[in-house]
Amino acid sequence: MLTQDELKNLVGQAALQYVVPGEIVGVGTGSTVNKFIDALASMRDQIKGAVSSSVASTERLLALGIPVFDANEVGELSVYIDGADEIDHQGNMIKGGGAALTREKIVAAQSRRFVCIADESKLVPTLGKFPLPVEAIPMATQRLVRQFAALGGVAKVRMKGGEPLVTDNGQHILDVTGLQIRDPLAFESEVNQWPGVVTVGVFAHQRAQICLLGTASGVKTLTF
Ligand code: 5RP
């Protein structure tokens, strides 16, 4: 029986086949992506570099000698590789467990193809069991708590060291439990236009086209 860490290693390695030599790759954030970044070091001399979705991933890429480009310096990317907190059978995801959702969505939108890497515990029939992260402007959070309550959700400000966690963009995160997201596309469009929401952690407009799923019997490739 493989551990979760070993499954993450497997999919991190498997994602290398989607990296296009000579190009810049979009890189997500999280413990699964960290395995991918470590594997990417073996291709360091074959790629131009990466566009990163967080300060943490940027630091890891640079430490391994992989150049990091600003998203504004480059055009469309051929591929974006990132993890997920949940993924359904259509490639819709919940992301933001690592608080990097806004930059992740920006780099995903800049990429032709989203390759999700995840262990099989992340595959769900309906999104919503994992608390939905929402990046929000601090002055709006209590109003947003009430808006989510009207949908049957319980939203809490994510804390770190007794203070609200501050994202790479200087904003706060709400984690929302009690939702069942049956129409991810409509839900994302709706919540994204609530005043004070920077980004909702539903990735339906930027869903995955491929998922490399780490399973007990090896890496399974799902295409959507
Ligand atoms: C970070 C994310 C991550 O992709 C997500 O939380 C999965 O992380 P991990 O690979 O550590 O399980 O969205 O904002």
Side-chain angles (χ1 to χ4, degrees):
M1 184 75 181
L2 295 172
T3 64
Q4 208 181 23
D5 197 60
E6 287 166 334
L7 293 177
K8 289 178 182 184
N9 244 325
L10 272 185
V11 294
Q13 283 283 347
L16 289 183
Q17 66 189 291
Y18 293 94
V19 175
V20 183
E23 292 198 10
I24 296 170
V25 57
V27 174
T29 298
S31 57
T32 316
V33 165
N34 283 345
K35 306 290 191 190
F36 167 66
I37 295 175
D38 295 349
L40 189 64
S42 67
M43 285 185 72
R44 188 175 30 219
D45 300 330
Q46 295 169 53
I47 57 169
K48 274 196 193 142
V51 171
S52 164
S53 60
S54 63
V55 172
S57 288
T58 298
E59 285 172 354
R60 198 173 187 99
L61 287 157
L62 292 176
L64 290 166
I66 300 167
V68 176
F69 293 87
D70 187 290
N72 286 314
E73 291 175 340
V74 303
E76 193 182 51
L77 307 174
S78 51
V79 67
Y80 176 65
I81 293 171
D82 199 356
D85 299 303
E86 281 184 351
I87 181 162
D88 70 13
H89 293 271
Q90 287 74 46
N92 302 300
M93 294 165 285
I94 284 185
K95 293 184 45 52
L101 63 163
T102 298
R103 295 189 189 192
E104 290 173 343
K105 210 176 265 190
I106 292 168
V107 188
Q110 196 168 337
S111 307
R112 275 196 296 282
R113 191 142 83 144
F114 190 136
V115 177
C116 175
I117 50 176
D119 67 80
E120 62 187 337
S121 69
K122 309 286 183 72
L123 188 65
V124 297
T126 307
L127 301 179
K129 196 157 174 228
F130 187 90
L132 174 70
V134 180
E135 184 162 4
I137 291 172
M139 74 171 282
T141 51
Q142 290 315 306
R143 205 185 143 270
L144 291 170
V145 166
R146 294 191 289 277
Q147 271 199 277
F148 278 113
L151 294 185
V154 177
K156 291 208 168 81
V157 175
R158 194 181 298 180
M159 306 296 281
K160 191 178 177 190
E163 298 288 332
L165 177 144
V166 178
T167 68
D168 288 350
N169 310 308
Q171 311 300 338
H172 290 174
I173 297 282
L174 288 171
D175 290 303
V176 191
T177 52
L179 299 172
Q180 285 227 321
I181 304 166
R182 298 194 190 284
D183 184 346
L185 211 53
F187 183 92
E188 181 182 9
S189 298
E190 161 72 15
V191 175
N192 255 347
Q193 49 86 34
W194 290 357
V197 168
V198 179
T199 310
V200 61
V202 170
F203 282 52
H205 291 278
Q206 270 74 45
R207 73 191 173 92
Q209 280 73 47
I210 293 171
C211 178
L212 301 176
L213 203 65
T215 75
S217 51
V219 177
K220 210 169 144 186
T221 303
L222 311 179
T223 49
F224 309 105

